[in-house]
Amino acid sequence: MRAARLIKMVLLLQSRPSMTAAELARELEVSERTVTRDAQALSEAGVPVYADRGRVGGYRLVGGYRTRLTGLARGEAEALFLSGVPGALREMGLEDAASAARLKVSAALLPSLRDAPRTAAQRFHLDAPGWFREAPAPELLPAVADAVWDDRPVVARYRRGDTEVERELEPYGLVLKAGVWYLCARVPGQGVSEQKASEQGASGAGAYRVYRIDRFTAVEAVTGAGGGTGAGAGTARFERDPEFDLPAFWAERAEQFARSILRAEAVVRLSPEGVRALQHAVDAAAAREALAEAAGTGADDDGWVTVTLPVESEEVARTQLTALGPEVEVLAPASLREWFAAQAVRLALLYGRK
């Protein structure tokens, strides 16, 4: 623990002209007294740490000293590529590895480029969760992330409706979508060549599936020779399909999911303003396709367009189409039109009061 802290202190001083004891204490998460002791230990070990006295004093390395401890470990290098998503790093338990990697990169840069990480961080930031949502990180996310990084099969228990299901999985990748973590995993049971012959996402052994990690109740690594789980024998590894493309798989699966839940239809008339606002009220892809299909018939004499819109259900359509206000008229199904007519009467009575 202390050795890692001393290395971090050297890298910090190497990446900056000087640092005060208070600054080092904040970075190292220790007291200023500990910083003083660590600086003394480094000096005794032959690292030329010099302490400037006075109100604006601090610590610096003398004579252009440079450490060779800048080689990135594998975990640090992998975490470095995720540095643009600090919240995700923290939830996966990779924050320390990313911090160490950034320090090593900064220490290896020329003096004229050492402000590059800071200037980039001040200009670009990714905030993944949606507005007005505070989705807590799943408790088992670090364990799942470790299995993904190391290609370790796991036995996972997860909630499916009112029951729990246990399944062995080969964790291929993690996806953070609107603040919710998902695992893309393969169900082992057949060879890679056999799996490629089947459709991605099909059920059964060899299929790739998507799981919400907040529904996992237990995750345990599969052991090596001899089988079984738990601490004991060596940890097993699975052979990844080198052609598996996580972004492409997720895009395809997300589109399939969006289409699969649109099981009903609503026929509506839209004003020009309703046409412009439709994609913000309902599924954007469904809105674009519905408007494209209606383009052949054109607008009526009032400038309104009639479209057949895929919707999840009448209940969901009520909420979505209500957002368009008077810019939409529901034509079918009759039950949905009757509901909107009743709401219109209620609104007229409400706003007609003196």
Side-chain angles (χ1 to χ4, degrees):
M1 183 72 173
R2 190 189 186 199
R5 189 175 71 242
L6 292 175
I7 292 172
K8 187 174 182 179
M9 184 174 180
V10 172
L11 292 172
L12 283 167
L13 293 174
Q14 186 171 309
S15 63
R16 308 179 194 182
S18 67
M19 295 183 69
T20 66
E23 290 171 337
L24 284 168
R26 278 196 304 272
E27 292 282 354
L28 300 173
E29 299 181 352
V30 295
S31 66
E32 293 186 29
R33 181 172 302 220
T34 299
V35 168
T36 302
R37 288 199 295 265
D38 287 351
Q40 179 64 31
L42 288 172
S43 180
E44 293 174 355
V47 178
V49 177
Y50 181 79
D52 290 317
R53 306 297 179 184
R55 185 172 59 85
V56 293
Y59 293 92
R60 60 186 175 87
L61 294 175
V62 179
Y65 176 85
R66 298 188 63 79
T67 176
R68 296 182 181 273
L69 297 172
T70 52
L72 291 177
R74 179 178 178 84
E76 295 168 347
E78 291 169 335
L80 187 60
F81 287 101
L82 294 170
S83 293
V85 283
L89 280 169
R90 183 172 55 254
E91 292 176 3
M92 288 190 291
L94 297 173
E95 190 174 28
D96 289 342
S99 175
R102 286 192 295 268
L103 272 175
K104 291 182 177 182
V105 170
S106 296
L109 292 174
L110 293 172
S112 60
L113 300 177
R114 285 180 186 161
D115 66 339
R118 181 183 60 81
T119 56
Q122 293 302 319
R123 286 165 173 78
F124 301 100
H125 175 68
L126 175 63
D127 185 10
W131 287 104
F132 314 117
R133 293 183 61 185
E134 279 288 339
E139 182 180 348
L140 295 173
L141 176 60
V144 176
D146 285 345
V148 169
W149 285 121
D150 294 339
D151 296 339
R152 294 201 311 267
V154 298
V155 173
R157 291 187 61 83
Y158 62 95
R159 294 187 298 274
R160 178 189 284 175
D162 296 329
T163 63
E164 279 197 0
V165 179
E166 182 176 287
R167 177 162 289 140
E168 183 174 334
L169 302 173
E170 295 176 350
Y172 265 68
L174 291 169
V175 175
L176 177 60
K177 170 71 171 179
V180 180
W181 284 96
Y182 296 88
L183 171 67
C184 300
R186 180 175 176 270
V187 180
Q190 62 187 53
V192 171
S193 59
E194 293 175 277
Q195 188 279 326
K196 288 179 182 176
S198 63
E199 283 188 18
Q200 282 190 339
S203 60
Y208 291 107
R209 299 182 181 181
V210 176
Y211 301 87
R212 278 186 58 144
I213 296 180
D214 58 6
R215 292 178 182 167
F216 284 174
T217 59
V219 174
E220 195 169 0
V222 175
T223 56
T229 60
T235 304
R237 295 287 189 277
F238 66 87
E239 180 183 354
R240 290 180 68 93
D241 179 359
E243 296 184 14
F244 177 79
D245 186 330
L246 179 60
F249 169 76
W250 177 258
E252 179 183 351
R253 182 53 65 88
E255 183 178 356
Q256 290 175 356
F257 173 76
R259 292 179 180 277
S260 70
I261 65 174
L262 302 178
R263 301 186 181 93
E265 288 184 344
V267 181
V268 301
R269 288 178 70 236
L270 296 163
S271 70
E273 179 59 32
V275 169
R276 287 189 289 270
L278 183 63
Q279 64 177 334
H280 303 296
V282 302
D283 178 77
R288 287 193 297 270
E289 290 183 7
L291 291 171
E293 291 179 2
T297 59
D300 60 23
D301 293 340
D302 297 325
W304 287 49
V305 176
T306 299
V307 303
T308 300
L309 185 68
V311 294
E312 184 174 346
S313 65
E314 281 195 31
E315 291 73 16
V316 173
R318 291 175 185 175
T319 302
Q320 293 176 331
L321 296 177
T322 296
L324 297 177
E327 309 303 330
V328 62
E329 177 190 2
V330 176
L331 302 179
S335 55
L336 185 59
R337 180 178 175 84
E338 291 169 2
W339 185 87
F340 272 92
Q343 301 311 303
V345 171
R346 292 181 62 191
L347 284 171
L349 291 173
L350 181 63
Y351 284 97
R353 294 175 181 172
K354 299 277 187 169

